Amino acid sequence: MVHAFIMIKTAAGKSEGLLESIRDVESVSDAHIVAGTYDIIAEIDAPEVYNVLEAVSSGVQGLEGVTDTKTYIAMD
């Protein structure tokens, strides 16, 4: 199992509207609006790294209002 954190930047004022859509992306186990450089942090649990990349590229990045993402794979 691969556990990853996705840091998501959104367009101004879009975070609250995107939160549920991000939570609905396959493999996303949870997501939170946060203060700081990024607007939302999502957690993904997937069988393989490929599934994480697919969830981010096809799911999260495809949502209107998402402007940037960074993916971090947990090593523990």
Side-chain angles (χ1 to χ4, degrees):
M1 185 63 72
V2 178
H3 189 74
F5 298 91
I6 314 305
M7 310 306 177
I8 304 162
K9 285 187 183 181
T10 67
K14 297 288 186 178
S15 296
E16 287 186 28
L18 281 168
L19 188 60
E20 283 306 314
S21 296
I22 290 168
R23 286 179 174 159
D24 289 341
V25 171
E26 188 174 347
S27 299
V28 171
S29 58
D30 209 353
H32 303 276
I33 294 175
V34 295
T37 304
Y38 292 91
D39 302 303
I40 298 173
I41 295 177
E43 290 184 65
I44 291 182
D45 290 305
E48 303 287 337
V49 172
Y50 170 80
N51 303 108
V52 172
L53 299 176
E54 183 177 46
V56 174
S57 63
S58 298
V60 175
Q61 290 176 345
L63 296 172
E64 186 175 335
V66 172
T67 61
D68 188 34
T69 65
K70 296 284 186 216
T71 303
Y72 296 91
I73 304 293
M75 301 302 286
D76 61 352

